[in-house]
């Protein structure tokens, strides 16, 4: 095959395979290095990037053609190359990044490449359900690696198993590995070398049992003489016969028990990790910290980095910002243990607070040796499984979890009283706000509340009865949108029903909070819609019409950025008619198994045309309607295709359409339907020299009728549905005669790309982002409010106002836009103040005379795209009055003017003390309504 043929084959297989991905499918890892070499080979005759979104930058110049790549070599992805093609025993490098080190190929794509190139080792991985809702599909690149401890023989072994496997399957594998009798074996969750729980719910998945990467599992065997089997064990590990069934485990193997192996060499950023002896030596220094903390003035304290354990930069950057918050640094270096709340059911038994405090003390200890945060990550994964493993995660999501988790672990309220908030009922805002805050403090009182929590006012107004509801809720951080504009650009592909024009994408600007009628009006103006025409808007999913957006009042906010929309030009008034939906199908074949046919699958975009129900409709009539719709895509030169010219096809179809729509304003163009003399010689119900298309009509019993035979036979149209479904089965021969690219690859409503030049030269102000956050807007339809007066759910308008601000204000810039199937990143540069961030005018509590001034002291940055991005932190050491860049284990000084960039993600501001603050004595309630930290001790 030529390079171009290889590329097109893989592209077609990839598009078809990824559209049908489901749980349990297999994907294969392939090294990015080889994939890049193959891309350059198949694109060497092109000057532009490939159109399937691959990573190829450009083709190589020169007259010499690139050589075909050698066999696939995945050896750079694994620690030791396995012999042959077997995947048994193959262990991936722990810190591989998708898009940088490897890419994932669907099984069909891998099979084809493997047939052409061979090589290996073969690295298959399964598709699993992931995410909090367990509805997102993800490839499990790193299955669980568990350390099995066999007792009482004191043997150890490592096993790889999917987190979606059950405890029964783990039990079976453990018995097979150690050659044990299953009836005599029980397994324990042996987290941190402690027996946490007996794993006896055999149908429970390991993911649900909270088993983490590199965790220990205790495999406990009863004596052969014990008749009690598994049930003969007690919680303390002794058997009923009085003999010890458990041998005390030997000293833990630190290279395995705490995460990644320490013998792997260096981390991704090139910094060698601590050796095992250094780890053991440093672990004994914890006792030297003491409860009084360590003085940092005049020393190098606070400049300790965190080792990257494998895509843990998201965690490292967030931790460094919290650790360098002065109030937290002081609190956790003093004796905070007395405030740990071990009874709080919403907390983590104090373990998260203890792990964080221990890590903070290590980072503030004298010396500059980077710290490996393995114990903290193990605790984090234990209580927040969404952050387990070695995938990249969202730094802000981790921050939100840490702040909330630390608050619950350190909540001074041991027994939360039940308090029912009263309605405002026209009372002064100040009175209602203080009441809400007092109720909040009665249930929530911790260092996190002292430092990070404020209060905002929320006002809802019913659009029908004008009922006003005012509440005052706590805030932990502000998530500010980056699009301050009130308009939105949307792309819709416009199709004609009469074959008069090719489909064309149309991009228009509409109000961000507008309705479907605004979008239809903008599209009509853009495509020069005639007075006797209208547009039917439809959402396309899976190459089918998911829904017609017939209600003109549908909110545009319900249309996601990654949706696909089509607009069909129709005659404005059609009496007694239905709509013919032409659904395209393409033949799919199994790859690598004798090219056997596996069926027809939908592809492309459906076409729609009105069909009159007044007269009898024959199979030949439907053939003509379909010919008419497809005629613009007919290629000019079609050797061997038994068909008349495009003009005759259009004329024949137009004549039929003219008859079918005679009772209304014609759907076809008047110049084609009435002025073309060629149509006079075309019978209205006969196919004249037209190649019959392979069409099948779905009748009211869901049976398919072949429309290639019996053209004069009438078709009974369903009386219960307004849509008539017709399948067009595109064979390879038919695809050679029509240029179907116009109905493929329907563009997304909003396509994200690099930031425009205008966006870079006119930076967005942080104040503008805040104003957009506080602007009054209608609720989205799925969050409609129940009006107590109307007794119905209403799309109320919502207005937020800041009421009281915290000592430390955390601001999250919403760079990641979440859509149905993916995330998009906004590279917008936000001009945020470092000094004198003045929020006075944004505080709705006008009785507060205090000036609300803040100063930036820390921020996290996110560089790159979603899959292979990297987090760092910029932090100001207040004692030195100097900024530093924290990039995992690397720390370097930076100038203040370099702090601002388009990578800024989460900003940390600290209140500036004013003369008014110093005049307020300790132990009193400030004008912001919050006690000083010193008075809460």
């Amino acid at each position: 095959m030529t390079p171009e043929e290889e590329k097109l084959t893989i592209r077609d297989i990839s598009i078809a395979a990824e559209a049908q991905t489901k749980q349990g499918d297999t994907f294969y890892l392939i090294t990015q290095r080889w994939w890049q070499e193959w891309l350059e080979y198949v694109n060497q005759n092109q000057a532009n990037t490939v159109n399937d979104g691959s990573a190829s930058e450009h083709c190589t110049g020169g007259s010499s053609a690139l050589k075909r790549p050698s066999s696939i070599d995945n050896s750079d992805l694994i620690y030791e190359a396995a012999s042959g093609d077997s995947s048994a025993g193959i262990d991936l490098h722990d810190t591989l990044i998708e898009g940088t080190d490897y890419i994932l190929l669907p099984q069909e794509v891998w099979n084809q490449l493997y047939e052409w190139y061979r090589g290996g080792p073969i690295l298959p991985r399964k598709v699993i359900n992931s995410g909090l809702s367990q509805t997102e599909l993800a490839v499990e690149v790193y299955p669980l690696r568990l350390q099995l401890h066999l007792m009482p023989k004191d043997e150890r072994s490592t096993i790889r198993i999917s987190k979606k496997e059950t405890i029964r399957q783990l039990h079976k594998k453990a018995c097979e590995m150690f050659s044990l009798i299953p009836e005599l074996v029980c397994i324990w969750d042996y987290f941190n070398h402690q027996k946490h729980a007996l794993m006896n719910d055999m149908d429970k998945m390991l993911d649900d049992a909270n088993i983490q990467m590199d965790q220990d599992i205790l495999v406990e065997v009863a004596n052969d003489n014990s008749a009690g089997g598994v049930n003969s064990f007690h919680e303390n590990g002794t058997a009923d016969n009085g003999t010890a069934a458990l041998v005390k485990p030997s000293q833990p193997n630190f290279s395995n028990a705490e995460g990644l192996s320490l013998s792997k060499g260096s981390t991704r950023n090139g910094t060698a990790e601590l050796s095992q002896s250094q780890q053991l030596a440093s672990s004994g220094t914890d006792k030297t910290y003491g409860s009084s903390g360590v003085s940092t003035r005049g020393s190098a304290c606070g400049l300790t980095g965190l080792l990257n354990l494998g895509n843990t930069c998201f965690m490292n950057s967030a931790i460094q910002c919290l650790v360098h918050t002065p109030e937290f640094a002081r609190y956790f270096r003093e004796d905070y243990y007395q405030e740990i709340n071990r009874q709080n059911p919403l907390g983590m038994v104090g373990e998260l607070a203890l792990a964080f405090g221990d890590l903070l003390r290590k980072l503030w200890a004298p010396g500059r040796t980077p710290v490996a945060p393995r114990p903290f990550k193990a605790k984090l994964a234990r209580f927040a499984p969404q952050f387990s493993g070695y995938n990249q995660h969202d730094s802000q999501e981790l921050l939100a979890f840490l702040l909330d988790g630390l608050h619950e672990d350190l909540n001074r309220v041991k027994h939360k009283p039940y308090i029912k908030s009263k309605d405002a009922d026209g009372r002064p805002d100040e009175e209602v706000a203080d009441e809400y805050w007092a109720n909040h403090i009665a249930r929530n009182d911790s260092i996190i509340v002292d430092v990070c929590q404020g209060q905002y006012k929320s006002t809802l107004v019913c659009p029908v009865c004008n009922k006003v509801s005012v509440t005052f809720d706590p805030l932990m951080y502000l998530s500010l949108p980056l699009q301050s504009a009130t308009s939105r650009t949307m792309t819709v592909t416009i199709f004609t029903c009469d074959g008069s024009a090719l489909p064309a994408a149309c991009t228009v600007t509409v109000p961000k909070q507008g309705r479907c009628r605004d979008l239809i009006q903008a599209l009509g103006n853009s495509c020069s819609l005639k007075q006797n025409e209208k547009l039917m808007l439809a959402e396309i999913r899976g190459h089918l019409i998911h829904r017609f957006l017939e209600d003109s009042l549908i909110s545009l906010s319900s249309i996601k950025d990654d949706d696909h929309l089509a607009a069909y030009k129709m005659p404005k008034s059609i009496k007694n008619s239905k709509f013919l939906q032409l659904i395209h199908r393409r033949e799919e074949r199994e790859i690598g198994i004798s090219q056997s046919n596996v069926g027809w699958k939908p592809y492309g975009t459906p076409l729609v045309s009105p069909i009159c129900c007044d007269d009898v409709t024959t199979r030949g009539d439907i053939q003509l309607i379909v010919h008419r719709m497809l005629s613009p895509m007919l290629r000019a030169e079609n050797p061997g295709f038994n068909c008349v010219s495009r003009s005759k096809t259009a004329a024949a179809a137009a004549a039929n359409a003219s008859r079918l729509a005679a009772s209304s304003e014609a759907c076809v163009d008047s110049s084609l339907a009435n002025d073309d003399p060629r149509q006079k010689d075309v019978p209205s119900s006969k196919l004249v020299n037209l190649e019959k298309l392979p069409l099948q009509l779905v009748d009211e019993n869901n049976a398919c009728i072949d429309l290639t035979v019996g053209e004069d036979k009438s078709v009974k149209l369903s009386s219960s549905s307004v849509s008539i479904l017709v399948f067009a089965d595109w064979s390879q021969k038919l695809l050679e005669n029509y240029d179907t690219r116009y109905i493929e690859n329907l563009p997304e409503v909003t396509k994200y790309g690099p930031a425009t030049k205008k966006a870079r030269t006119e930076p967005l102000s942080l104040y503008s982002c805040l104003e957009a956050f506080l602007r009054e807007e209608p609720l989205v339809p799925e969050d409609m409010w129940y009006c107590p007066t109307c007794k119905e759910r209403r799309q109320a308008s919502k207005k937020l106002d800041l009421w009281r601000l915290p000592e430390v204000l955390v601001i999250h810039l919403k760079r990641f836009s979440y859509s149905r199937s993916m995330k998009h990143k906004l590279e917008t540069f936000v001009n945020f103040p470092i000094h004198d961030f003045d929020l006075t005018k944004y505080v709705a509590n006008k009785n507060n005379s205090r000036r609300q001034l803040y100063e930036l002291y820390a921020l996290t940055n996110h560089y790159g795209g979603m899959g292979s991005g990297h987090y760092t932190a910029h932090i100001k050491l207040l004692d030195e009055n100097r900024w530093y860049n924290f990039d995992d284990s690397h720390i370097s000084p930076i100038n203040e003017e370099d702090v601002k960039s388009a990578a800024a993600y989460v900003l940390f501001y600290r209140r500036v003390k004013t003369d008014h603050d110093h005049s307020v004595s300790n132990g009193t309630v400030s004008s912001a309504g919050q006690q000083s930290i010193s008075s809460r001790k």
Side-chain angles (χ1 to χ4, degrees):
M1 298 177 70
T2 66
E4 181 69 14
E5 288 172 338
E6 280 195 25
K7 182 184 75 172
L8 293 178
T9 300
I10 293 299
R11 185 198 67 179
D12 293 342
I13 296 173
S14 178
I15 292 173
E18 293 188 9
Q20 305 296 326
T21 300
K22 61 185 182 300
Q23 181 185 6
D25 286 353
T26 302
F27 275 64
Y28 290 79
L29 278 75
I30 191 168
T31 175
Q32 174 70 29
R33 171 186 47 76
W34 189 93
W35 177 251
Q36 186 68 33
E37 184 181 346
W38 181 80
L39 287 175
E40 291 175 356
Y41 166 69
V42 299
N43 286 291
Q44 58 185 302
N45 295 326
Q46 285 186 225
N48 301 320
T49 58
V50 293
N51 60 10
D52 60 357
S54 63
S56 180
E57 295 278 338
H58 59 274
C59 66
T60 56
S63 57
S64 60
L66 289 176
K67 293 182 179 179
R68 193 169 186 265
S70 56
S71 61
I72 300 170
D73 181 9
N74 283 332
S75 59
D76 57 339
L77 301 181
I78 62 176
Y79 283 117
E80 294 179 3
S83 58
D85 291 336
S86 172
S87 60
I90 295 178
D91 203 12
L92 291 178
H93 284 289
D94 287 312
T95 55
L96 299 178
I97 298 176
E98 183 180 358
T100 301
D101 303 302
Y102 69 90
I103 67 164
L104 292 166
L105 299 179
Q107 182 170 3
E108 297 84 353
V109 176
W110 167 264
N111 287 345
Q112 185 62 73
L113 286 175
Y114 187 74
E115 182 180 319
W116 290 339
Y117 291 95
R118 296 294 169 180
I122 301 174
L123 304 173
R125 293 296 185 268
K126 291 292 185 182
V127 175
I128 61 173
N129 284 328
S130 66
L132 294 177
S133 62
Q134 293 295 308
T135 58
E136 301 174 16
L137 294 179
V139 178
E140 190 178 26
V141 175
Y142 289 100
L144 290 175
R145 179 175 52 206
L146 303 178
Q147 315 299 326
L148 303 184
H149 297 253
L150 177 63
M151 294 296 170
K153 292 186 177 180
D154 197 19
E155 295 179 11
R156 300 186 186 185
S157 186
T158 302
I159 189 174
R160 280 281 191 182
I161 187 171
S162 170
K163 63 183 179 182
K164 296 300 180 181
E165 299 276 27
T166 62
I167 291 175
R168 184 187 316 280
Q169 289 158 324
L170 174 60
H171 183 274
K172 179 182 179 182
K173 288 177 181 288
C175 292
E176 292 173 350
M177 180 170 291
F178 293 116
S179 301
L180 303 174
I181 301 173
E183 290 75 19
L184 298 178
V185 175
C186 63
I187 56 177
W188 293 79
D189 179 345
Y190 202 43
F191 181 74
N192 272 4
H193 288 251
Q194 296 179 0
K195 295 171 75 170
H196 275 266
L198 179 64
M199 300 173 66
N200 56 1
D201 186 351
M202 291 299 179
D203 294 323
K204 196 173 194 177
M205 285 193 300
L206 299 178
D207 195 17
D208 296 331
N210 212 357
I211 303 301
Q212 305 299 324
M213 178 72 76
D214 288 318
Q215 190 174 314
D216 297 288
I217 299 294
L218 182 63
V219 182
E220 205 169 30
V221 186
N223 289 340
D224 291 341
N225 297 328
S226 173
V230 177
N231 294 327
S232 66
F233 286 97
H234 295 304
E235 284 289 329
N236 61 6
T238 59
D240 282 336
N241 60 8
T243 60
L246 229 160
V247 178
K248 183 180 180 181
S250 59
Q251 185 69 19
N253 182 346
F254 284 90
S255 64
N256 291 323
E258 292 185 358
L260 300 179
S261 172
L262 297 178
S263 61
K264 301 299 187 189
S266 62
T267 61
R268 176 165 299 282
N269 55 27
T271 302
E273 296 189 9
L274 299 175
S275 66
Q276 187 167 342
S277 60
Q278 287 175 311
Q279 276 281 3
L280 294 172
S282 65
S283 64
T285 62
D286 292 2
K287 300 177 182 178
T288 64
Y289 294 133
S291 60
S292 61
V294 180
S295 174
T296 62
R297 188 172 297 279
S299 69
C301 296
L303 290 177
T304 302
L306 287 165
L307 289 174
N308 192 321
L309 306 179
N311 286 333
T312 55
C313 57
F314 78 96
M315 181 182 77
N316 293 349
S317 60
I319 287 173
Q320 291 288 13
C321 289
L322 291 179
V323 160
H324 286 87
T325 298
E327 292 83 356
F328 293 158
R330 181 167 60 250
Y331 177 85
F332 283 99
R333 286 154 62 203
E334 294 175 351
D335 185 11
Y336 67 94
Y337 304 107
Q338 61 184 356
E339 293 199 338
I340 291 179
N341 188 338
R342 300 183 186 276
Q343 289 77 41
N344 187 355
L346 300 178
M348 291 115 198
V349 208
E351 290 193 31
L352 184 68
L354 288 169
F356 179 80
D358 182 58
L359 182 58
L360 182 144
R361 292 183 175 200
K362 289 179 180 178
L363 292 175
W364 275 104
R368 301 285 285 275
T369 304
V371 174
R374 287 193 183 87
F376 178 81
K377 188 177 187 305
K379 294 291 185 188
L380 178 68
R382 182 74 176 173
F383 297 110
Q386 65 267 33
F387 299 117
S388 62
Y390 299 100
N391 293 326
Q392 186 70 279
H393 296 279
D394 191 324
S395 180
Q396 187 273 333
E397 291 179 0
L398 173 68
L399 273 169
F401 170 80
L402 282 180
L403 290 173
D404 188 61
L406 291 173
H407 159 65
E408 297 295 354
D409 266 5
L410 298 168
N411 196 346
R412 303 175 185 116
V413 179
K414 299 301 189 286
H415 303 286
K416 296 185 177 184
Y418 173 75
I419 303 173
K420 186 176 181 180
S421 299
K422 301 177 184 177
D423 194 75
D425 284 334
R427 291 182 292 160
D429 284 347
E430 292 77 12
E431 177 185 336
V432 179
D434 287 344
E435 180 182 284
Y436 269 85
W437 186 253
N439 292 344
H440 176 66
I441 293 298
R443 294 173 54 84
N444 302 277
D445 182 14
S446 69
I447 180 65
I448 305 299
V449 176
D450 296 342
V451 175
C452 292
Q453 286 197 1
Q455 190 180 31
Y456 64 83
K457 173 186 175 183
S458 175
T459 305
L460 290 171
V461 181
C462 177
V464 178
C465 70
N466 292 322
K467 162 71 177 175
V468 178
S469 173
V470 176
T471 57
F472 291 86
D473 301 305
L475 68 86
M476 185 87 80
Y477 49 85
L478 297 177
S479 288
L480 305 186
L482 298 193
Q483 301 114 317
S484 60
T486 58
S487 61
R488 174 188 184 187
T489 59
M490 301 182 73
T491 299
V492 180
T493 304
I494 298 179
F495 296 84
T496 60
C497 68
D498 58 6
S500 60
L502 285 166
C506 184
T507 301
V508 295
T509 301
V510 293
K512 191 174 182 181
Q513 298 299 327
R515 311 282 183 174
C516 271
R517 61 189 176 195
D518 301 309
L519 176 58
I520 291 173
Q521 182 178 352
L523 290 171
N525 294 336
S526 180
C527 71
S528 303
L529 196 67
K530 298 174 184 177
Q531 287 188 349
N532 61 350
E533 292 177 325
K534 68 175 183 179
L535 290 175
M536 283 184 62
L537 203 60
E539 180 184 345
I540 310 298
R541 283 195 206 171
H543 309 292
L544 302 173
I545 294 178
H546 175 67
R547 60 168 175 161
F548 282 106
L549 303 173
E550 297 176 288
D551 186 354
S552 62
L553 295 179
I554 292 176
S555 174
L556 293 181
S557 61
S558 67
I559 301 174
K560 307 301 182 186
D561 287 342
D562 64 341
D563 282 344
H564 301 271
L565 296 185
Y568 300 97
K569 275 188 181 182
M570 295 283 174
K572 186 174 288 186
S573 175
I574 311 175
K575 297 177 182 178
N576 192 21
S577 63
K578 296 181 181 295
F579 296 105
L580 186 151
Q581 289 187 33
L582 182 67
I583 298 170
H584 311 281
R585 299 195 302 188
R586 186 166 52 186
E587 198 173 18
E588 278 199 355
R589 296 180 180 273
E590 186 82 19
I591 300 301
I593 309 179
S594 68
Q595 296 289 323
S596 59
N597 185 0
V598 296
W600 296 86
K601 300 292 183 181
Y603 93 107
T605 309
L607 300 179
V608 177
S609 176
I611 181 168
C612 183
C613 299
D614 284 336
D615 300 324
V616 175
T617 302
T618 66
R619 298 181 183 182
D621 292 332
I622 295 179
Q623 283 274 352
L624 284 172
I625 293 173
V626 174
H627 269 288
R628 167 177 47 114
M629 290 192 288
L630 298 179
S631 61
M633 297 186 295
L634 191 63
R635 299 183 191 272
E637 298 296 332
N638 296 293
F641 186 56
N642 182 21
C643 181
V644 295
S645 68
R646 183 185 303 185
S647 61
K648 277 193 176 182
T649 304
N656 186 61
S658 180
R659 179 183 65 84
L660 291 174
S663 62
S664 65
E665 300 177 51
C667 177
V668 297
D669 188 283
S670 59
S671 63
L672 184 59
N674 302 321
D675 299 336
D676 194 331
R678 291 171 296 192
Q679 74 175 45
K680 297 176 182 179
D681 299 325
V682 180
S684 61
S685 61
K686 300 291 183 182
L687 292 169
V688 181
N689 298 325
L690 296 182
E691 181 77 10
K692 290 183 180 179
L693 297 169
L695 304 179
Q696 296 189 63
L697 176 116
V698 181
D699 66 11
E700 55 188 0
N701 297 320
N702 286 328
C704 288
I705 300 173
D706 186 358
L707 300 181
T708 60
V709 295
E711 65 181 85
D712 293 326
K713 286 187 178 181
S714 62
V715 174
K716 185 179 179 182
L717 303 179
S718 173
S719 57
S720 59
S721 174
V722 296
S723 293
I724 307 300
L725 299 184
V726 175
F727 291 116
D729 293 335
W730 290 85
S731 63
Q732 192 59 42
K733 177 184 176 183
L734 201 57
L735 287 170
E736 292 172 0
N737 297 295
Y738 285 90
D739 190 353
T740 58
R741 61 181 174 174
Y742 297 103
I743 59 172
E744 298 176 10
N745 303 321
L746 203 63
E748 294 178 351
V749 167
T750 302
K751 184 70 176 178
Y752 285 84
T756 62
K757 183 178 181 181
K758 180 180 180 182
R760 291 193 296 268
T761 56
E762 298 178 13
L764 186 63
S765 165
L766 185 60
Y767 290 107
S768 299
C769 297
L770 180 60
E771 289 163 4
F773 173 75
L774 300 176
R775 185 180 297 120
E776 182 176 355
E777 288 185 345
L779 295 174
V780 295
E782 52 266 30
D783 292 335
M784 286 202 298
W785 171 64
Y786 180 81
C787 176
T789 304
C790 298
K791 307 296 183 184
E792 290 187 25
R793 300 185 70 82
R794 302 291 189 192
Q795 191 174 8
S797 61
K798 184 175 183 178
K799 175 73 170 71
L800 293 178
D801 291 292
L802 302 179
W803 188 262
R804 81 181 74 216
L805 295 176
E807 293 300 311
V808 169
L809 179 62
V810 181
I811 295 179
H812 163 226
L813 302 178
K814 296 175 72 172
R815 294 200 175 277
F816 301 127
S817 175
Y818 295 79
S819 58
R820 183 173 290 108
S821 59
M822 64 187 70
K823 296 180 186 178
H824 303 290
K825 185 188 176 186
L826 301 175
E827 301 283 356
T828 310
F829 176 80
V830 178
N831 187 16
F832 52 89
I834 297 177
H835 304 284
D836 298 329
F837 182 35
D838 193 349
L839 297 174
T840 307
K841 73 173 185 177
Y842 298 102
V843 177
N845 183 7
K846 299 308 177 186
N847 289 345
N848 184 1
S849 59
R850 183 182 189 179
R851 192 176 178 196
Q852 307 292 332
L853 274 183
Y854 284 83
E855 182 173 291
L856 187 76
Y857 71 92
L859 69 152
T860 64
N861 302 293
H862 182 272
Y863 301 94
M866 293 301 306
S868 57
H870 181 61
Y871 287 95
T872 67
H874 292 337
I875 293 172
K876 183 178 183 179
L877 260 62
L878 300 181
D879 284 350
E880 298 183 20
N881 193 30
R882 188 172 186 180
W883 284 91
Y884 289 88
N885 177 48
F886 286 70
D887 185 355
D888 290 328
S889 57
H890 297 285
I891 301 174
S892 55
I894 57 172
N895 296 322
E896 186 172 272
E897 54 266 26
D898 297 327
V899 169
K900 293 184 182 182
S901 76
Y905 185 40
V906 181
L907 310 174
F908 289 74
Y909 282 94
R910 193 164 181 253
R911 189 191 296 279
V912 176
K913 301 297 182 182
T914 62
D915 293 339
H916 178 272
D917 298 316
H918 295 301
S919 67
V920 179
S921 60
N922 286 340
T924 62
V925 178
S926 71
S927 58
Q930 190 165 328
Q931 288 180 304
S932 64
I933 296 171
S934 59
S935 68
R936 300 291 290 276
K937 300 292 184 187

